[in-house]
């Protein structure tokens, strides 16, 4: 077999490479899907290694080395593979509360927490001398990891990682990595997904640690500290932490690089060259490799898409798409009651009330800065109101987080399009469909059906971030519809569309009301569109609802002409409402630009 014919001295590095592959594939379950770099998985590897040591070191040795251990632990003497699996279980239990806590955090706070975990576990291992021998070596672990054993666990780790990546939770987590606000808006429970990812990745890290222990045979806390953390992060950065293939490729490349550098660092004669020993060459080489990759390819060598996903276009499942019953008129209503929102000194929305019923289209218009988006965001839960109430079909929903509002049947789109840029168009819609009351295959079928309906089928496999403006808006609306909402809030859905696209959009929105019975709230500047589309129109001026009624009546209302249509007069240098209509515009523009920068 392959490893038997390898030249002497290659088996060790090969096993180390496989073990590091298990480790980075495990770390990727959390870091790759969530986008949060973890420094703490090395600590979980340490726990796995020490746990397996406790179960495998011969009782006599244990009694001599660690007399303080409870008798039951001293008596434990399992075969290595059983102990490795046992260590995974033990670390799973220990990591559960950690996963619950760290899973609540996002972004850099989560990273810092994982760093804390590394420091704490190292401190405990060094400090608990009676149980671990402290910073002294703990030896006597049976050497049991051969190439086939390590390879078998690599396969296991990859299967687990892939299963999680493709699961509902994995997809939701990847969506949140791309855009947290949008993931919440479609109802994804990102915290739970992150907690599950952390727990599973902790178990796989423990597996890697235990394998390492039974390869080397000796443990020290130092072996599981910053050097190893750095090496594993180098693998993830070089290969690309967002894919399993990237992590695996990184393990191969970095292992080869490290092995070459290690030999060079000792100095010696290589053909015509005689090199002096160079201290730290491995670290320097790894750092340069990281820099080179980051400079050329931010996401690593294999970012975002697994190779098989490139080769195989996404398939339609055999099941028919579920067709939710048409929502009945009069079956409830979405109410905003005297909603107010202050930002510091600015009153963005003041005592605004609205009612939206299934099967109707309510327009919300008003000049820039009038508070339209803020009002929509208060209803959707992403901006907590300063005062006032939101009721969904009679139940109070004030102050609920966006994902819980979404689960109650309210979906929204964003003024500045928020897609999951590196996920396919299909996956963008599938994340939302996944939340519905149907099977996974049915959710996928529903996503396909919506792509058909929104004229996106040809773009199904494309990363959503690469589409033109018009299709991006359609993806966002298809995604918002996927969970079968009762109410749909659209913030300037026609912005950036040309006349033909905007006409097509009009038909689509009409269809959502007519065929699905959804209640639509549509914010738009295009009065032509609003007047053609809406049953009722509410006008917001300086945060207050200043008029509401049928489109014709509203468009003739003098207050409305002053506050809103007055802008046209202001542009002419006529009209009384010059300041009212234009004052919001410059401020609004900065907000938009700021948001765009954050959210390309
Ligand atoms: P519209 O959507 O009608 O153009 P917005 O709801 O975006 O208006 O904004 C209403 C007012 O609230 C503006 O003055 C805007 O600058 C302010 N505003 C909106 N969001 C924020 C925020 N996150 N922080 C501070 N001020 C905000
Ligand atoms: Mg707005």
């Amino acid at each position: 077999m392959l490893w038997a014919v390898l030249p002497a001295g290659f088996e060790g590095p090969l096993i180390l490479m496989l073990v590091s592959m298990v480790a980075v594939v495990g770390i990727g379950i959390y870091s790759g899907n969530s986008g949060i770099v973890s420094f703490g998985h090395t600590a979980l590897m340490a726990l796995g290694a020490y746990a397996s040591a406790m179960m495998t070191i011969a009782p006599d040795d244990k009694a001599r080395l660690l007399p303080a251990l409870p008798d039951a632990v001293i008596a434990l003497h399992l075969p290595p593979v059983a102990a490795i699996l046992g260590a995974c279980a033990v670390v799973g239990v220990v990591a559960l509360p950690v996963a619950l806590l760290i899973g609540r955090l996002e972004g850099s706070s989560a990273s810092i927490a994982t760093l804390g975990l590394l420091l704490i576990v190292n401190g405990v291992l060094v400090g608990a001398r009676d149980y671990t021998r402290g910073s002294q070596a703990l030896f006597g672990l049976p050497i049991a990891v051969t190439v086939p054993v390590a390879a078998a666990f690599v396969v296991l780790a990859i299967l687990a990682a892939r299963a999680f990546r493709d699961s509902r939770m994995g997809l939701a987590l990847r969506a949140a990595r791309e855009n947290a606000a949008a993931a919440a808006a479609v109802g994804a429970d990102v915290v739970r997904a992150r907690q599950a990812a952390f727990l599973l990745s902790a178990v796989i890290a423990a597996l890697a640690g235990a394998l390492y222990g039974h390869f080397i045979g000796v443990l020290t806390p130092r072996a599981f500290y910053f050097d190893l953390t750095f090496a594993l992060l180098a693998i993830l950065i070089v290969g690309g932490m967002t894919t399993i293939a990237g992590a695996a490729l990184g393990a191969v490349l970095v292992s080869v690089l490290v092995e070459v550098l290690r030999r060079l660092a000792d100095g010696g004669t290589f053909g015509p060259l005689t090199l002096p020993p160079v201290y730290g060459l491995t670290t320097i080489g790894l750092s340069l490799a990281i820099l080179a990759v980051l400079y050329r390819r931010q996401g690593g060598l294999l970012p975002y898409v697994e190779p098989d996903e490139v080769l195989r276009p996404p398939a339609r499942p055999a099941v028919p798409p579920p067709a939710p019953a048409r929502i009945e008129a009069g079956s409830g209503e979405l109410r905003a009651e005297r909603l107010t929102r202050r930002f510091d000194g600015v009153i963005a929305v003041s005592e605004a009330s609205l009612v939206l019923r299934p099967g109707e289209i309510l327009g919300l218009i008003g000049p820039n800065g009038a508070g339209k988006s803020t009002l929509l965001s208060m209803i959707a839960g992403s901006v907590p109101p300063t005062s006032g109430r939101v009721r969904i079909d009679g139940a109070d929903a004030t102050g609920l987080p966006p994902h819980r509002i979404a689960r109650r049947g309210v979906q929204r789109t964003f003024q500045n399009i928020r897609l999951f840029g590196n996920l396919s168009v299909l996956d963008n819609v599938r994340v939302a469909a996944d939340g519905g009351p149907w099977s996974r295959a049915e959710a996928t079928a529903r996503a396909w059906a919506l792509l058909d309906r929104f004229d996106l089928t040809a773009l199904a496999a494309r990363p959503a971030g690469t589409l033109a403006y018009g299709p991006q808006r359609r993806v966002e609306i298809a995604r918002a519809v996927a969970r079968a909402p009762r109410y749909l809030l659209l913030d300037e859905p026609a912005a950036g569309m040309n006349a033909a696209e905007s006409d097509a959009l009009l038909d689509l929105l009409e269809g959502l009301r007519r065929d699905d019975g959804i209640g639509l709230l549509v914010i738009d500047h295009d009065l032509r569109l609003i007047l053609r589309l809406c049953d009722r129109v509410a006008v917001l001026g300086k945060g207050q609802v200043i008029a509401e009624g049928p489109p014709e009546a509203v468009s003739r209302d003098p207050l409305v002409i002053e506050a809103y249509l007055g802008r046209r007069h202001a542009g002419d240098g006529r009209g009384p409402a010059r300041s009212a209509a234009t004052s919001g515009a410059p401020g609004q523009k900065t907000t938009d630009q700021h948001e765009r920068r954050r959210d390309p």
Side-chain angles (χ1 to χ4, degrees):
M1 297 208 195
L2 178 65
W3 62 92
V5 301
L6 283 172
F10 267 77
E11 191 178 358
L14 182 57
I15 293 176
L16 268 185
M17 182 195 87
L18 293 172
V19 171
S20 61
M21 208 180 272
V22 173
V24 290
V25 166
I27 297 170
I29 296 173
Y30 172 72
S31 290
N33 291 306
S34 73
I36 300 167
V37 172
S38 169
F39 303 99
H41 281 69
T42 331
L44 299 160
M45 290 176 70
L47 293 179
Y50 276 85
S52 196
M54 295 301 153
M55 299 183 217
T56 50
I57 296 177
D60 289 352
D61 293 340
K62 251 186 281 180
R64 190 162 45 81
L65 293 169
L66 307 167
L69 281 179
D71 290 343
V73 177
I74 289 183
L76 271 178
H77 196 197
L78 301 181
V81 172
I84 289 170
L85 296 176
C88 291
V90 170
V91 174
V93 172
V94 173
L96 180 64
V98 180
L100 294 179
L101 284 171
I102 292 186
R104 299 210 139 269
L105 305 175
E106 47 191 15
S108 39
S109 5
S111 280
I112 301 289
T114 62
L115 185 60
L117 179 66
L118 179 65
L119 299 176
I120 290 169
V121 169
N122 185 264
V124 169
L125 289 177
V126 171
R129 255 188 282 164
D130 293 344
Y131 303 95
T132 64
R133 299 200 81 218
S135 46
Q136 281 181 289
L138 178 61
F139 46 85
L141 285 83
I143 310 281
V145 179
T146 56
V147 173
V149 169
F153 280 116
V154 166
V155 172
L156 185 72
I158 288 178
L159 290 178
R162 186 59 191 255
F164 184 83
R165 175 189 163 88
D166 291 341
S167 71
R168 287 182 201 232
M169 278 188 180
L171 183 57
L173 200 52
R174 283 185 286 141
R177 175 192 74 203
E178 297 294 316
N179 195 309
V186 299
D189 190 344
V190 179
V191 167
R192 216 178 46 145
R194 224 167 18 223
Q195 290 168 333
F198 192 93
L199 186 61
L200 181 59
S201 76
V203 170
I204 307 284
L207 169 64
L211 288 171
Y212 180 81
H214 291 287
F215 168 63
I216 301 280
V218 182
L219 303 179
T220 58
R222 244 203 118 253
F224 299 95
Y225 212 32
F226 282 108
D227 289 352
L228 180 60
T229 307
F230 178 68
L232 296 176
L233 287 180
I235 292 177
L236 284 169
I237 291 169
V238 169
M241 74 175 185
T242 46
T243 61
I244 298 161
L249 176 68
V252 175
L253 295 181
V254 170
S255 298
V256 170
L257 182 67
V258 166
E259 194 52 28
V260 170
L261 290 174
R262 205 171 54 79
R263 283 163 195 230
L264 286 180
D266 293 340
T269 307
F270 303 90
L273 275 178
T274 305
L275 297 178
V278 185
Y279 180 75
L281 186 65
T282 319
T283 311
I284 295 169
L286 275 187
S287 310
L288 290 178
I290 292 177
L291 281 179
V293 169
L294 283 183
Y295 190 71
R296 303 290 309 179
R297 258 179 105 87
Q298 274 252 319
L301 295 174
L302 295 176
Y304 303 118
V305 196
E306 300 287 356
D308 65 294
E309 293 171 335
V310 180
L311 299 174
R312 239 179 332 114
R316 281 175 194 256
V319 298
R326 192 179 180 285
I327 301 158
E328 287 188 31
S331 62
E333 58 187 22
L334 174 63
R335 297 185 74 93
E337 295 174 356
R338 302 169 67 98
L339 284 176
T340 298
R341 173 69 201 201
R342 287 192 197 86
F343 289 112
D344 233 352
V346 182
I347 300 186
V349 177
S350 173
E351 308 254 314
S353 299
L354 289 178
V355 180
L356 177 65
R357 300 180 185 90
E360 75 166 348
I361 304 184
L362 171 64
L364 180 60
I365 62 174
N368 268 335
K372 304 181 297 296
S373 295
T374 305
L375 178 54
L376 186 153
S377 292
M378 281 195 282
I379 299 172
S382 57
V383 170
T386 308
S387 65
R389 309 226 68 86
V390 175
R391 280 181 219 285
I392 304 170
D393 299 332
D396 193 355
T398 321
L400 289 182
H403 74 271
R404 301 209 22 217
I405 300 271
R407 286 160 178 226
R408 294 196 181 188
V410 179
Q411 290 279 331
R412 59 93 51 99
T413 65
F414 296 86
Q415 181 170 351
N416 304 297
I417 308 173
R418 288 173 182 264
L419 294 179
F420 310 125
N422 288 306
L423 300 190
S424 70
V425 167
L426 177 68
D427 278 349
N428 266 265
V429 181
R430 214 156 63 100
V431 181
D434 267 347
W438 37 64
S439 75
R440 197 83 206 287
E442 285 171 327
T444 307
R446 178 163 171 82
W448 276 109
L450 282 164
L451 294 192
D452 295 342
R453 185 171 178 183
F454 284 79
D455 192 19
L456 292 163
T457 313
L459 303 171
R462 286 266 299 277
T466 64
L467 304 187
Y469 230 58
Q472 285 205 21
R473 290 261 179 223
R474 294 206 304 277
V475 174
E476 208 189 18
I477 299 171
R479 182 179 72 185
V481 173
R483 209 184 166 119
R486 292 168 54 78
Y487 307 99
L488 180 55
L489 319 176
L490 304 171
D491 199 344
E492 306 202 14
M497 287 189 174
N498 61 36
E501 284 175 324
S502 143
D503 279 346
L505 178 73
L506 213 85
D507 290 341
L508 283 171
L509 299 185
E510 256 303 325
L512 291 177
R513 174 254 293 274
R514 187 186 55 236
D515 304 334
D516 303 46
I518 299 174
L520 283 88
L521 175 75
V522 182
I523 298 178
D524 216 293
H525 277 301
D526 185 349
L527 274 184
R528 185 188 65 107
L529 180 136
I530 290 286
L531 296 180
R532 271 174 64 193
L533 185 66
C534 298
D535 307 304
R536 284 186 300 132
V537 177
V539 185
L540 217 53
K542 294 183 181 172
Q544 289 177 312
V545 178
I546 54 174
E548 205 206 305
E552 319 77 53
V554 165
S555 62
R556 283 196 305 269
D557 189 316
L559 262 177
V560 176
I561 293 170
E562 184 183 320
Y564 185 74
L565 304 177
R567 185 161 53 153
R568 234 177 264 160
H569 299 264
D572 298 336
R574 302 187 271 122
R578 199 173 311 164
S579 63
T582 50
S583 60
Q588 179 62 26
K589 202 165 176 198
T590 1
T591 321
D592 280 3
Q593 282 168 352
H594 176 65
E595 289 229 352
R596 288 239 165 77
R597 219 173 297 129
R598 268 193 335 206
D599 185 17

